[in-house]
Amino acid sequence: MAKILVVDDSASMRQMVEFTLKEAGHDVTVAEDGQVALNVAKGKASDLVITDVNMPNMDGITLIRELRALPAYKFTPILTLTTESATEKKMEGKDAGATGWIVKPFNPEKLLATVNKVLG
Amino acid sequence: METKTTDLAPLGPRGALKRETAEGLQYLTFSLAGEEYGIDILKVQEIRGWAPVTKVPNAPAFVRGVMNLRGAIVPVIDLRLRFGLETIEYTKTTVVIVVMVQGATGNRVIGAVVDGVSDVLNLQAADIQPAPDFGTAVHTEFISGLVTIEAGMVMLLDVDRLLSVEEMFALEAVRPSEPVAA
Amino acid sequence: MAIDIGQFVQTFFEESFEGLDIMEAGLLALSPGATVDLEQINTIFRAAHSIKGGSGTFGFREVAEFTHVMETLLDRMREGRMPVTRDAVNTLLESVDCLREMLVAAREKSPVDANRVEEVRERLSELLDAKEAPPGDTGGKPASAAKSPSAQVAGWRIRFRPYPQLMHSGNDPVRMFRELADLGELTARADLGRLPRLAELQPEDCYLAWELELRGAVSRDAVAEAFAWVEGDCELEIEPLAGDAPAPAATAVKAPETAAVPPPADPKPGGPREEGQQGELMLERRKGEDRRRGDRRASVAAADSGSSIRVGIDKVDAVINLVGELVTTQSMLSALGEDFDMSRLDKLHEALDQLDRNTRDLQEHVMRIRMLPVSSVFSRFPRMVHDIGGKLGKQIELRINGEQTELDKTVIEKIGDPLVHLIRNSLDHGLEPPDERIRAGKPETGVITLDAYHKSGSIFIEVGDDGRGLNREALLRKGLDNGLLRAGEEYSDEQIYDLIFHPGLSTAKQISDVSGRGVGMDVVRRNIQDVGGSIQIASRPGKGTRITISLPLTLAILDGQLVSIGQDCYIIPLLSIIESVQIRAGEVNRIPGRGEILRFRGQPLPILRLYEMFGAEGAVTDLEKGLLVVVEADGRQVGLFVDDLQGQQQVSIKSLEKNFRRVAGVAGATILGDGRVGLILDISGLIRTNNAAI
């Protein structure tokens, strides 16, 4: 049972991820872009952040950098949702401080497995 | 008058109708100008006493008007006038049978004013005889069959036909004033 | 545990269609060649990206693959690696259309036109090839995949030496070990060699290293995957363990899933397609395209229309508040009812007033839920104008105002086609080609304006252009030819322009600025009248044409003026009433062939004796003893003669046609306060009948 922050500008993705994680008993907060997510994060700690990369207002990479600057989020696992199987995109996230990534499309089972792996 | 059994009934509107009513069904019977008629009870939504209706301009005489049925606008037909008979003054026993009519464009709810409601009959297919080709008060197009009970004969009406908008506003007479055309 | 994500598919479709609209609008706004608006391209890119991600997640592989190609193209554009050319924009626009079709097919589970998809994809690929040698990224898989496939060995020896900053990214070696432990039997030995003295220890850095042994039938890939996230942050060696012969059985180890979206089909070595040929192809496709696009949008819209409506939360909240107030009022009345006597009559009135207000407000707000902004209808026009303008070789600018004006959903659905028709007329016939415009001293670019606004209880939509205007002479001639006008009579401009709405006017000799889809204008008017609206044309030769459509705010509720005619009670829509007057002797002229006319404020006003029209019994027949209600519709006025006014009431309109049929002169019915049925008069219809009768 963990506090997870999910950030994605696609409503269907948000819904799907939120639902999947909630079914597994986690406490989920959603945000539709980096700016909203950052505001949430400033007020509330999380055990894990899952964020899309391409979003309006503030993209995922910037969000990660901003989160890492917050004391509460210095070591919080952050995973990016990326559709690129190309290395550079994943590395971009890592350079900004992300823990790892999940490649889209993923099925709910894979999502949960990855989340469990990260949360221990 | 030839008596035909259900099995040998000729194909054609009447024959088809008879097959529909072949399952043992209930009929609501009512009286109109001294004759008894019956309607498939599944088509009867409710029975109300007569209450004043709102006139509809330029409608045929048998359309008395429209009434408020729990928020729905329902036309009220005077069956006597529809049958080409004289209408009478409405009394305490005058009733409006609210019927659900199946039409080409969907189901309609229509009220029909009759002299009075009589009974509910339980019938079997075998009880129903085909309507005669002539000699009835109502055009045989609208009669799905005939039943003889102790009190007399009951004409079973095909309300979908009788109260269909097309039929009602067509110029055909309901009463066979002349020998029936083929 | 199987989790069903099917419930989110609907949302995916909704947002994807919206995304396509965003892409289309964005593409239309891009001016090829000019300085690239980065934000604009980013928006388009993100929309494509979302659709790609979602379609992959929800299992629509072909859609994902197709979108991937679009996305790659857009990605290059936003990075400046590819110029934004007109060809690219048009191809992308076509791709949007294609994608829309694919999504509809996916939603309806119907087949998609594979040839077309392939065709468009090829063109996209060509653009990708032609402009830049594609770097090896489209098909790039992580290098590890090229390594040996899952070999079955006894196990692996792993040397894992993280760099100090490994934990800064939130990674934790323990987690990785746990993951490995799931795969097989894990033993670990820590190497403390690099651990500094306590005083120098940075608590956030990682100084430890490990030697691990993982025993089991595990593939190298699985082991590597556990360390996938820290690849750049550590030294990692994975060697097979010397040991027993590999266990032959299949293991429960999952193969890594790194490349989930298959790379797009290799672009075909650009089959030599001449520019000219390609141009022709595009033109041929265009022939049925408008209709197809209309169909496509219609099919998207139609599939949506019956099923759902998107409502702003604010509207829902407003209704919730009002229901709350209603409940309060109900309790008040309930309390009053329990212990009532005449001394509390005032309180009763108060409560009833409140109830009246609550109900009215609630009614109004609930109706608003069915209201959608006209933008949903207007949104198809920029594309249409862009494409048809291009095809006709005309420069056309479309200006839209008042897109947020709201209309009842049903009305919106019904005015779509009429508006398409009107705009096509402007495009085809109203607006002149550039050289003609220049000769006429007008700017080269023609303007079509589309305005929507509220006014005095109705919604107005205006379609205007600054083109040629209507040809009055030609229309007059046609009217005379067809016998619709009488020779030698004076007709106003308005009357002549009105001829456009007559069916069959154009079936005779075609006049270019009038006909075109000639048979359409009467249908346009009928469609508009069907939803209770009206349409008018104004025009100035050489300057342009403006068509004004007025529509009722809502189809379901009306403010009505009750009038009595004999024993019957009818309702006149309050908005159509100008005033009510008493007729005095000598004010009425009887004109043969025209009926009775009242001199009203200097204008002749036809009088309709409603009791005659409706066959009412016991009505007032003496014009001086009743009341004349002056009403207006479609720019025309008429006086309705009734017995008296009865009162005003807000009524909800019910159709007579549901159980009965349409009655001439009657727009609908309603339930009055006393439970009776009241018939609502169709003012437009009455006026039309009156005119026809003349």
Side-chain angles (χ1 to χ4, degrees):
Chain A
M1 164 64 178
K3 295 202 279 285
I4 309 183
L5 175 58
V6 176
V7 194
D8 196 315
D9 62 337
S10 156
S12 60
M13 285 307 279
R14 281 200 306 270
Q15 284 175 10
M16 197 267 278
V17 173
E18 182 182 4
F19 176 75
T20 305
L21 295 175
K22 275 192 169 153
E23 284 286 292
H26 297 297
D27 168 8
V28 182
T29 309
V30 293
E32 66 266 26
D33 63 54
Q35 187 59 59
V36 175
L38 188 58
N39 293 342
V40 169
K42 285 182 176 162
K44 173 176 161 161
S46 309
D47 298 314
L48 168 63
V49 179
I50 301 179
T51 176
D52 188 17
V53 173
N54 289 290
M55 296 181 291
N57 295 330
M58 185 193 287
D59 66 83
I61 305 295
T62 313
L63 171 65
I64 296 171
R65 279 198 254 269
E66 294 282 332
L67 283 176
R68 286 288 181 230
L70 298 176
Y73 283 80
K74 208 161 172 197
F75 297 108
T76 309
I78 303 179
L79 299 179
T80 56
L81 291 173
T82 166
T83 62
E84 315 303 316
S85 36
T87 336
E88 41 176 83
K89 287 291 180 181
K90 298 176 188 169
M91 285 307 129
E92 217 181 314
K94 283 272 347 249
D95 287 341
T99 310
W101 56 79
I102 305 179
V103 180
K104 291 197 273 195
F106 51 83
N107 56 40
E109 285 74 29
K110 173 130 176 76
L111 172 67
L112 282 176
T114 311
V115 166
N116 287 338
K117 175 167 102 170
V118 160
L119 292 175
Chain B
M1 186 168 78
E2 228 179 315
T3 309
K4 298 175 185 141
T5 67
T6 316
D7 295 333
L8 298 178
L11 279 173
R14 268 186 286 135
L17 283 167
K18 280 191 42 152
R19 253 174 263 127
E20 276 173 25
T21 61
E23 269 60 51
L25 282 179
Q26 290 186 314
Y27 283 82
L28 174 75
T29 60
F30 61 88
S31 61
L32 196 75
E35 304 273 356
E36 285 292 310
Y37 298 90
I39 306 181
D40 177 356
I41 206 152
L42 292 177
K43 293 194 175 295
V44 176
Q45 185 175 296
E46 64 191 88
I47 301 172
R48 293 161 75 91
W50 165 256
V53 295
T54 300
K55 255 192 61 157
V56 173
N58 300 322
F62 60 78
V63 176
R64 298 297 300 221
V66 286
M67 73 169 167
N68 165 18
L69 188 66
R70 292 183 296 282
I73 312 285
V74 172
V76 177
I77 312 285
D78 182 315
L79 267 192
R80 271 171 171 265
L81 292 176
R82 172 82 178 115
F83 287 2
L85 304 167
E86 295 255 322
T87 187
I88 54 171
E89 266 214 49
Y90 293 169
T91 72
K92 278 197 286 282
T93 54
T94 304
V95 286
V96 178
I97 304 182
V98 180
V99 183
M100 211 155 37
V101 166
Q102 240 169 337
T105 46
N107 289 343
R108 293 166 188 270
V109 175
I110 300 185
V113 181
V114 301
D115 293 354
V117 166
S118 309
D119 204 351
V120 173
L121 293 182
N122 291 298
L123 300 177
Q124 298 298 314
D127 303 330
I128 303 177
Q129 302 152 353
D133 286 328
F134 56 89
T136 53
V138 174
H139 215 298
T140 48
E141 297 282 299
F142 307 115
I143 300 187
S144 61
L146 213 58
V147 172
T148 310
I149 54 177
E150 300 132 35
M153 259 193 350
V154 178
M155 273 169 286
L156 303 177
L157 294 174
D158 176 3
V159 279
D160 287 338
R161 212 63 190 271
L162 182 66
L163 298 178
S164 83
V165 176
E166 300 74 27
E167 289 284 349
M168 286 202 286
F169 294 97
L171 297 175
E172 294 173 37
V174 175
R175 295 199 72 201
S177 49
E178 330 172 77
V180 176
Chain C
M1 159 179 66
I3 296 181
D4 176 25
I5 57 174
Q7 52 187 302
F8 306 115
V9 172
Q10 182 59 28
T11 311
F12 159 70
F13 279 121
E14 276 169 23
E15 75 185 8
S16 296
F17 285 120
E18 275 177 22
L20 284 176
D21 287 340
I22 292 174
M23 288 179 72
E24 190 176 58
L27 285 166
L28 287 172
L30 285 178
S31 359
T35 34
V36 156
D37 179 352
L38 198 59
E39 195 38 52
Q40 191 68 268
I41 298 202
N42 258 323
T43 309
I44 306 172
F45 171 84
R46 276 200 300 269
H49 180 79
S50 283
I51 298 179
K52 185 178 101 169
S55 53
T57 304
F58 291 103
F60 302 115
R61 246 196 46 178
E62 281 164 17
V63 176
E65 285 175 19
F66 187 83
T67 318
H68 179 78
V69 188
M70 290 171 74
E71 189 200 49
T72 312
L73 184 55
L74 288 161
D75 200 14
R76 296 228 194 120
M77 281 181 177
R78 75 172 177 164
E79 289 181 356
R81 275 153 50 199
M82 178 172 298
V84 179
T85 63
R86 182 175 290 273
D87 191 30
V89 171
N90 281 342
T91 307
L92 282 168
L93 279 171
E94 274 248 13
S95 314
V96 168
D97 286 343
C98 195
L99 193 49
R100 198 175 273 129
E101 273 178 14
M102 292 173 81
L103 281 170
V104 170
R107 184 174 66 184
E108 311 294 313
K109 301 198 183 39
S110 62
V112 77
D113 181 354
N115 288 333
R116 190 170 132 114
V117 171
E118 197 42 50
E119 199 175 32
V120 181
R121 201 217 304 257
E122 270 188 35
R123 282 168 51 209
L124 284 170
S125 302
E126 265 168 50
L127 282 169
L128 282 171
D129 281 345
K131 306 301 179 189
E132 211 204 60
D137 65 336
T138 43
K141 282 187 158 64
S144 58
K147 288 247 177 91
S148 55
S150 348
Q152 305 292 347
V153 295
W156 303 92
R157 171 171 294 120
I158 306 157
R159 265 186 213 107
F160 177 48
R161 183 179 292 271
Y163 294 154
Q165 74 272 20
L166 181 126
M167 298 198 293
H168 291 203
S169 59
N171 275 297
D172 183 355
V174 179
R175 282 204 295 266
M176 287 169 235
F177 300 159
R178 228 179 262 132
E179 196 180 331
L180 288 174
D182 282 340
L183 299 174
E185 214 184 283
L186 183 73
T187 43
R189 215 174 41 239
D191 175 1
L192 306 172
R194 287 188 305 150
L195 204 55
R197 284 202 311 266
L198 195 58
E200 288 158 31
L201 189 80
Q202 297 284 6
E204 297 169 356
D205 285 353
C206 183
Y207 302 100
L208 303 178
W210 289 268
E211 223 183 80
L212 306 154
E213 266 180 28
L214 180 66
R215 287 189 184 275
V218 181
S219 73
R220 195 186 191 289
D221 283 345
V223 176
E225 210 217 339
F227 295 97
W229 290 346
V230 295
E231 246 177 76
D233 291 334
C234 65
E235 277 167 32
L236 184 64
E237 281 164 33
I238 307 176
E239 285 159 11
L241 273 178
D244 326 328
T251 63
V253 176
K254 304 193 297 286
E257 292 161 22
T258 43
V261 174
D266 287 333
K268 310 239 184 325
R273 204 178 263 162
E274 311 294 340
E275 250 317 297
Q277 240 181 310
Q278 188 169 31
E280 276 167 39
L281 279 167
M282 284 173 70
L283 222 79
E284 264 176 48
R285 257 195 297 276
R286 287 256 153 83
K287 270 199 195 128
E289 190 174 79
D290 310 318
R291 187 182 41 83
R292 245 194 349 209
R293 181 172 310 118
D295 288 351
R296 241 175 284 134
R297 277 212 194 256
S299 69
V300 169
D304 285 350
S305 66
S307 49
S308 61
I309 240 188
R310 264 212 152 121
V311 184
I313 284 263
D314 54 327
K315 288 187 185 172
V316 177
D317 283 341
V319 170
I320 290 181
N321 285 340
L322 290 172
V323 170
E325 286 176 36
L326 186 62
V327 168
T328 311
T329 308
Q330 186 269 334
S331 322
M332 232 161 71
L333 283 166
S334 188
L336 273 174
E338 268 177 34
D339 183 19
F340 186 72
D341 61 55
M342 288 311 281
S343 69
R344 305 180 76 191
L345 195 59
D346 280 345
K347 285 242 170 306
L348 181 63
H349 279 305
E350 219 181 272
L352 288 173
D353 275 343
Q354 206 163 312
L355 184 62
D356 179 74
R357 272 196 311 275
N358 288 152
T359 327
R360 236 172 242 275
D361 285 344
L362 192 55
Q363 207 172 43
E364 189 188 307
H365 279 80
V366 169
M367 285 324 297
R368 288 219 201 119
I369 288 182
R370 287 197 101 236
M371 311 257 288
L372 294 175
V374 252
S375 56
S376 57
V377 182
F378 285 4
S379 59
R380 72 184 83 167
F381 293 128
R383 180 72 190 276
M384 191 174 114
V385 169
H386 168 93
D387 288 347
I388 298 183
K391 181 171 73 168
L392 296 174
K394 297 182 184 174
Q395 307 263 60
I396 304 187
E397 184 192 331
L398 175 66
R399 292 192 199 143
I400 299 187
N401 285 315
E403 304 178 275
Q404 292 311 310
T405 309
E406 291 194 338
L407 272 192
D408 183 278
K409 185 175 190 263
T410 316
V411 175
I412 285 198
E413 283 160 14
K414 297 252 170 96
I415 56 160
D417 284 344
L419 283 179
V420 168
H421 190 92
L422 294 176
I423 294 200
R424 283 223 59 154
N425 274 355
S426 285
L427 285 169
D428 288 341
H429 309 292
L431 288 171
E432 318 92 323
D435 50 346
E436 194 182 316
R437 285 184 66 89
I438 294 182
R439 269 180 280 135
K442 295 183 184 176
E444 205 185 345
T445 303
V447 176
I448 296 183
T449 54
L450 194 52
D451 295 304
Y453 54 90
H454 283 276
K455 199 171 94 160
S456 38
S458 296
I459 307 258
F460 289 87
I461 299 185
E462 286 184 10
V463 181
D465 66 61
D466 66 347
R468 299 184 183 111
L470 296 175
N471 187 333
R472 188 184 193 279
E473 287 313 307
L475 272 171
L476 181 57
R477 250 180 292 129
K478 294 227 62 189
L480 291 171
D481 284 347
N482 285 349
L484 293 163
L485 299 177
R486 286 188 280 258
E489 289 235 12
E490 281 293 315
Y491 290 103
S492 69
D493 284 352
E494 207 190 79
Q495 283 169 310
I496 296 195
Y497 294 148
D498 199 64
L499 287 177
I500 288 200
F501 293 115
H502 267 275
L505 186 71
S506 66
T507 55
K509 278 180 310 181
Q510 300 299 310
I511 300 178
S512 58
D513 43 284
V514 161
S515 54
R517 309 282 165 102
V519 292
M521 283 307 259
D522 61 315
V523 174
V524 166
R525 183 159 70 173
R526 199 157 357 109
N527 283 349
I528 291 177
Q529 281 167 348
D530 276 350
V531 290
S534 65
I535 179 170
Q536 255 140 308
I537 295 194
S539 175
R540 274 160 59 209
K543 294 275 197 280
T545 309
R546 191 176 65 233
I547 300 182
T548 307
I549 299 175
S550 79
L551 296 162
L553 207 49
T554 152
L555 295 182
I557 302 213
L558 188 69
D559 279 317
Q561 170 68 58
L562 273 62
V563 296
S564 55
I565 305 177
Q567 292 161 346
D568 308 320
C569 192
Y570 290 89
I571 297 167
I572 302 179
L574 210 52
L575 285 174
S576 58
I577 298 182
I578 309 279
E579 64 181 283
S580 309
V581 294
Q582 280 203 298
I583 301 179
R584 269 176 260 287
E587 289 182 328
V588 179
N589 298 103
R590 177 171 248 101
I591 300 181
R594 293 267 186 108
E596 294 169 300
I597 307 286
L598 176 75
R599 287 190 300 280
F600 182 65
R601 305 202 186 292
Q603 298 290 333
L605 184 74
I607 296 177
L608 288 185
R609 292 182 185 251
L610 287 183
Y611 68 85
E612 241 173 41
M613 286 185 75
F614 293 157
E617 291 165 0
V620 172
T621 54
D622 182 346
L623 283 183
E624 291 168 42
K625 295 239 167 62
L627 204 61
L628 193 71
V629 180
V630 183
V631 293
E632 180 184 47
D634 304 325
R636 283 190 274 256
Q637 291 185 357
V638 93
L640 303 177
F641 183 68
V642 302
D643 290 4
D644 204 357
L645 298 183
Q646 289 304 323
Q648 290 179 4
Q649 193 177 328
Q650 197 178 56
V651 297
S652 66
I653 307 174
K654 293 173 185 291
S655 165
L656 271 179
E657 290 173 77
K658 186 165 186 328
N659 288 324
F660 190 50
R661 68 169 186 175
R662 183 171 244 179
V663 176
V666 174
T670 185
I671 311 290
L672 298 172
D674 58 6
R676 280 184 302 154
V677 174
L679 297 180
I680 303 168
L681 297 184
D682 172 14
I683 307 297
S684 289
L686 286 173
I687 293 183
R688 258 177 282 146
T689 329
N690 180 57
N691 278 3
I694 295 173

